[in-house]
Amino acid sequence: MKCFDLQVNGAFGLDFSDPAMTEDSFLRTAEKILASGVTRFLPTVITSPVDLYRRNLPLILRAVERAGLTYEIPGFHLEGPFISPEPGAVGAHDPASTLPPTPENLAELQNIAEGKVLLLTVAAERDGALETIAAAKAAGITVSLGHQLAERSDLQQAADAGATLLTHLGNGIPNLIHRHKNPIWSGLANDQLTAMIITDGHHLPADVIKCMIRCKTPERIVVTSDASSAAGLPPGNYSVLGNDAVLYDNGLLWNPEKQCLVGSGSLMPQCIDYLKSLDLLTESELEQVVWKNPHKVLGLPV
């Protein structure tokens, strides 16, 4: 089955936010990702110092152009740096590298990426988020809300400003939240926002996946892998996104110190297989959430 993964942080031992990444190492990893059954994907660079963006984004663009992979890899997802620096919400990202969302900071990143930022994750409650979302929309960038402590009004204002997605809904949030007033319920209730969800069997329990799909319907669901540098590797101890992480036999990728997930140990084909095993979607609906909807939210032709 064709699939378009909007969030691939790395795989097969390479982190796309690694300051030591080379064009060759990126291409070797990209080829393995595509060979695994992924049709298209967005390399995702997480919250990083600006110098890292200056180095890695042009490097990836050169590699993609050199290998003739502009269809398979049409642009970037920047998951940060405009996310919440607060514990829990920041997840495995470095809080010291977060930046305030401003149109000027966004313009600098898009300039570095030569206009190839297609997807941007922003925390809706941060000062300057609304102006930045509006600027992103005007620049043709799809905005997703995530790694946040947003309230219902924050999400609604962000949606009205142009945000259309929720980054890995149900994750990138503290383990303990208010039982009713939290970004999960508010995100589910907002019909303007499509939910990206990670169906690796670890980020979300099966019951939660079922409820999210029933609530949003297949029209407003996008499946992503959130694949990390440990995806495709055997179980063991790894450094992932600056975290000491353990990849268990069952595919769980976990930071024991922070008590949080560190991206996924799975690629999209494994996420599709797990979702199939839940028997929640028809074949046509499955194609919609892994292939058609990712194109739709980015405004790309299928």
Side-chain angles (χ1 to χ4, degrees):
M1 173 173 285
K2 290 182 178 180
C3 63
F4 187 1
D5 193 347
L6 302 188
Q7 185 158 1
V8 181
N9 307 296
F12 299 101
L14 180 67
D15 180 349
F16 296 150
S17 302
D18 184 348
M21 181 174 67
T22 65
E23 288 185 39
D24 287 344
S25 65
F26 173 80
L27 284 179
R28 284 194 299 270
T29 301
E31 287 164 0
K32 289 179 182 178
I33 292 169
L34 296 170
S36 77
V38 177
T39 314
R40 308 183 81 181
F41 72 94
L42 297 186
T44 300
V45 179
I46 68 162
T47 303
S48 301
V50 174
D51 283 347
L52 186 283
Y53 295 113
R54 290 194 183 105
R55 180 189 186 279
N56 282 23
L57 298 184
L59 181 154
I60 291 172
L61 290 174
R62 290 194 302 270
V64 167
E65 185 69 29
R66 184 179 113 201
L69 293 174
T70 53
Y71 172 79
E72 291 84 355
I73 306 172
F76 298 107
H77 175 183
L78 297 189
E79 190 187 11
F82 307 136
I83 63 170
S84 170
E86 298 301 319
V90 76
H93 294 230
D94 176 16
S97 294
T98 61
L99 288 176
T102 67
E104 293 76 20
N105 284 339
L106 172 62
E108 180 180 9
L109 292 172
Q110 183 67 310
N111 183 59
I112 292 168
E114 299 177 25
K116 290 295 186 177
V117 176
L118 301 186
L119 179 59
L120 176 73
T121 292
V122 177
E125 77 277 12
R126 293 205 66 179
D127 290 343
L130 299 183
E131 295 82 359
T132 304
I133 291 167
K137 181 181 179 182
I141 301 170
T142 298
V143 178
S144 188
L145 308 174
H147 282 283
Q148 60 190 351
L149 298 173
E151 297 183 356
R152 178 183 179 278
S153 59
D154 298 318
L155 294 182
Q156 185 57 60
Q157 290 176 39
D160 290 342
T164 55
L165 282 169
L166 295 159
T167 296
H168 50 51
L169 184 62
N171 300 108
I173 194 170
N175 289 329
L176 297 177
I177 54 178
H178 192 283
R179 62 186 177 186
H180 296 146
K181 298 179 181 179
N182 63 66
I184 300 175
W185 282 115
S186 297
L188 285 171
N190 192 307
D191 293 335
Q192 293 171 254
L193 299 171
T194 291
M196 293 194 287
I197 61 173
I198 305 166
T199 62
D200 62 350
H202 303 291
H203 277 75
L204 298 171
D207 288 348
V208 173
I209 293 173
K210 180 176 182 178
C211 290
M212 287 181 171
I213 290 175
R214 292 289 186 266
C215 180
K216 285 295 188 182
T217 78
E219 290 284 338
R220 295 195 302 276
I221 290 286
V222 169
V223 171
T224 65
S225 71
D226 196 29
S228 75
S229 60
L233 297 180
N237 296 317
Y238 297 100
S239 177
V240 180
L241 306 176
N243 296 258
D244 291 326
V246 180
L247 178 61
Y248 292 94
D249 291 342
N250 64 358
L252 174 65
L253 186 61
W254 187 253
N255 181 327
E257 181 182 354
K258 292 183 181 179
Q259 291 289 293
C260 71
L261 294 156
V262 193
S264 173
S266 300
L267 291 160
M268 270 290 271
Q270 289 75 50
C271 293
I272 292 171
D273 287 344
Y274 180 75
L275 184 54
K276 280 183 178 179
S277 75
L278 302 182
D279 199 25
L280 298 173
L281 299 171
T282 66
E283 194 74 9
S284 174
E285 289 170 338
L286 189 62
E287 180 188 20
Q288 186 172 17
V289 301
V290 303
W291 179 246
K292 293 181 178 179
N293 287 351
H295 287 85
K296 180 181 176 181
V297 297
L298 294 183
L300 296 177
V302 175

